[in-house]
Amino acid sequence: MMTSVRIALAAALLMGAGQTLAADTAMSKDNPFAQPSSLPYQLPPFDRIHDSDFMPAFAAGMAEQLREVQLIADNAEAPSFDNTIVALERSGRLLSRVSTVFFNLSSSDTNDTRQKIEEEIAPQLSAHQDSILLNARLYARVAALYEQRDTLKLDAESQRLLERYHTRFVRAGAQLSEAQKDQLRKLNSELSELTTRFDQNLLKETKAGAVVVDKAEDLAGLSEGEIAAAADAAKARGLDGKYLITLQNTSGQPAEQSLRSRALREKLYRASVTRANHGGDSDNKAVIARIVLLRAQRAALLGYGDHASYVLEDETARTTAAVNKMLGQLAPAAVANARREAADMQKLIDADRGGFKLAPWDWSYYAEKLRKARYDFDESQMKPYLELENVLQNGVFYAANRLYGLSFKERKDLPVYLPDVRVFEVFNADGTPLALFLADYFKRDSKRGGAWMNEFVSQSALFGTKPVVVNNLNIPKPPAGEPVLLTFDEVTTLFHEFGHALHGMFSNVQYPYFAGTNVPRDFVEFPSQVNEMWATDAQVLKNYARHYKTGEAMPQALLDKVLATQKFNQGFATTEYLAAAILDQRWHQLPIAQAEIKDVNLFEAQALQKAGVAMSQVPPRYRSTYFAHVFAGGYDAGYYAYIWSEVLDADTVQWFKENGGLKRENGDRFRSLLLSRGGSTDAMTLYRAFRGRDPDIKPLLERRGLDQPAPKSKARKKVQ
């Protein structure tokens, strides 16, 4: 039992040795986190926030929540839904305010101070959470209500909240003995430190791995804008007169598609795939080995055979067997397609008398050549028609207006954390305010790789709050005065992340526990993937694909080519994804007896070989040492979620097409039955209510070109 004295002691320990609770929680009344923001939608007052505000606010927030929680646990009244579950929902508001801002900024605009704060605060927050979820008196109240749940006459959302709190406590270890709880606390604390270290190592390595080029002629194949951007990137690091190609988070790098210099493509590729994997202080191999072992130990302590079994029990997939079955079904066809694609590219190399075998740094370069030859299609022809502002206003926002009646007004009067960040107020069709949407689209050294959506404020009827959401991308910023011209992959990512934003903005729930994207990890990607369909919808594409100089629409012939190439190179795309997803499962399905891995690279190689996805020309989308999704980003044993969700996505896209596509009634149905419900109802129950049946995998197989039987021979003229 955790008494109030032990709570106070735990809080004091959280603040660090030699310091007192009172000293650390003496937060100034002028601290911007001390009170809810007075700005519209409670947008954080970024113009008042300084790095020195974070630690006092964290300390005060943790102490405040511990006091709130202990009052609940010590309540002399019999437990009720209001005095226990709703009271828990109401706790921790100060901590929530500082946490959402800090971790958003540490991802999108970190610095040395923020990295030090993150290192310090991660284990403190882990211990703080444990002090709540392992509080025996508190759990006893939750458990008592759970046992009475069928007699409490709760509405459906309230009953689900009670059930989810009970599940959360149990999965966090509330039923363990005190000795086991102490062991769990140590595991959680070290894991929080290790995942933070992994992320920071990767950020350093990604920055350090940027490739310096001495002469502009070595960049032949890149556009003038891309060369100018490389010159600006070099200048920003004090390398005047040189050129810098910075790294994206994936194995393959965008520049490999265009660079004519095979030697430079190889140098860029090797810089990418050796990140955090070549010794030194920022090497992640030992970090990975320790994370894997500790996760296996924690799973065993909680009664599970392995970490993946623990994770998947609370997802829609439920079991490792279900995930393994899906990945195993898809892998052979994907690899067969990739081998056909590789053979076709080797023919191009041989026809050019290249004198070499296709290597991973050649793939995207020759895939683009093959696409040009097969479809008379050159992606560089598209880019002048894919200017960021056009895509955003006349594509992303246009589709949202046609589907959901939304309108957008840019708010330049509100503070932002960096000048490049934009704020839009979002309105429903009837003119009522819905949310604030922040757009942070440009790559910078202080930003982690990839693309993501976060919330600064979650919707909740309990608190009367409306959503404040942000989309982050990593679009290279062109030189001043130059247009921001996108690749089609970047266009798709823009639509994808806005799908997450819609999920957050449309939230209409009572309790913050269920708001927006607070759904199972293998369901959260589903709405965002559905929103990608509008990037290639003929009506939407015609509306945004306009030349940045003339305003002329993209020629129909080019539009047709865009649509015709949608299945092109899907063997590669599916294989690199599946290799990463399978690798994630192999790491996290290790039982405790097998979880001490001595050689991370050897384990990775053997796992891919055994799964049948070890194709030399197609590396995993992420190798282990830079696989931030699963070793730092919360997708541990969950990277399969993208293709699991894509089954639902492809089936839903088919529904939209069968029902007239870009129509308001279709959007309203999707919004009301699914997007607005967050986690307030079981995810698959929501899906069935919308679709009218269980999902069908056939549309996914057709989309990815996996619906054809594997060829009987290697000879095949056409890439699927």
Side-chain angles (χ1 to χ4, degrees), residues 200-353:
Q200 294 189 356
N201 284 349
L202 178 54
L203 184 66
K204 292 174 187 174
E205 285 281 301
T206 299
K207 181 179 179 180
V211 173
V212 179
V213 180
D214 293 327
K215 298 178 294 184
E217 50 263 39
D218 291 335
L219 298 175
L222 299 186
S223 69
E224 290 182 5
E226 289 168 333
I227 293 172
D232 283 354
K235 187 176 181 180
R237 296 199 193 178
L239 300 170
D240 293 42
K242 297 184 183 295
Y243 304 85
L244 195 72
I245 305 177
T246 57
L247 298 180
Q248 301 279 24
N249 59 328
T250 50
S251 294
Q253 298 299 309
E256 292 169 17
Q257 179 176 293
S258 305
L259 284 170
R260 293 176 194 158
S261 169
R262 188 168 190 250
L264 184 53
R265 293 200 307 268
E266 180 179 1
K267 185 177 182 180
L268 183 59
Y269 170 81
R270 293 197 184 281
S272 175
V273 299
T274 58
R275 274 175 290 171
N277 194 13
H278 46 74
D281 293 340
S282 54
D283 191 294
N284 269 334
K285 292 193 290 294
V287 178
I288 289 169
R290 186 66 178 164
I291 288 173
V292 168
L293 176 61
L294 295 183
R295 284 175 175 171
Q297 290 176 345
R298 183 173 61 183
L301 183 63
L302 292 168
Y304 295 86
D306 53 70
H307 180 67
S309 295
Y310 166 73
V311 169
L312 294 173
E313 182 187 62
D314 206 37
E315 306 295 334
T316 64
R318 303 299 183 201
T319 66
T320 57
V323 173
N324 291 343
K325 180 180 179 181
M326 167 172 278
L327 298 178
Q329 284 177 330
L330 297 175
V335 172
N337 277 2
R339 293 194 188 284
R340 288 193 290 267
E341 293 165 3
D344 285 344
M345 283 183 275
Q346 187 64 53
K347 290 176 184 176
L348 279 183
I349 294 170
D350 294 344
D352 289 344
R353 298 186 179 181

Side-chain angles (χ1 to χ4, degrees), residues 675-700:
L675 295 179
S676 66
R677 305 292 298 279
S680 64
T681 303
D682 171 74
M684 292 310 296
T685 300
L686 290 177
Y687 183 82
R688 294 183 192 101
F690 167 76
R691 191 65 172 96
R693 58 165 172 75
D694 286 333
D696 185 354
I697 197 174
K698 291 178 183 177
L700 170 66

Side-chain angles (χ1 to χ4, degrees), residues 105-112 115 199-211 229-230 232-239 244-248 418 420 440 442-449 452 473-477:
L105 294 184
S106 68
S107 295
S108 60
D109 185 34
T110 195
N111 56 39
D112 290 344
Q115 289 186 4
D199 203 30
Q200 294 189 356
N201 284 349
L202 178 54
L203 184 66
K204 292 174 187 174
E205 285 281 301
T206 299
K207 181 179 179 180
V211 173
D232 283 354
K235 187 176 181 180
R237 296 199 193 178
L239 300 170
L244 195 72
I245 305 177
T246 57
L247 298 180
Q248 301 279 24
L418 285 172
D420 284 338
D440 183 355
F442 293 117
K443 178 178 175 59
R444 50 185 170 266
D445 285 343
S446 61
K447 191 187 225 180
R448 69 176 172 87
W452 66 95
L473 273 69
N474 267 280
I475 299 169
K477 190 174 182 179

Side-chain angles (χ1 to χ4, degrees), residues 388-398 422 424 441 494:
L388 174 59
E389 190 67 10
N390 271 340
V391 177
L392 180 64
Q393 298 283 357
N394 301 317
V396 174
F397 289 173
Y398 170 79
R422 301 170 67 182
F424 297 88
Y441 289 144
L494 206 68

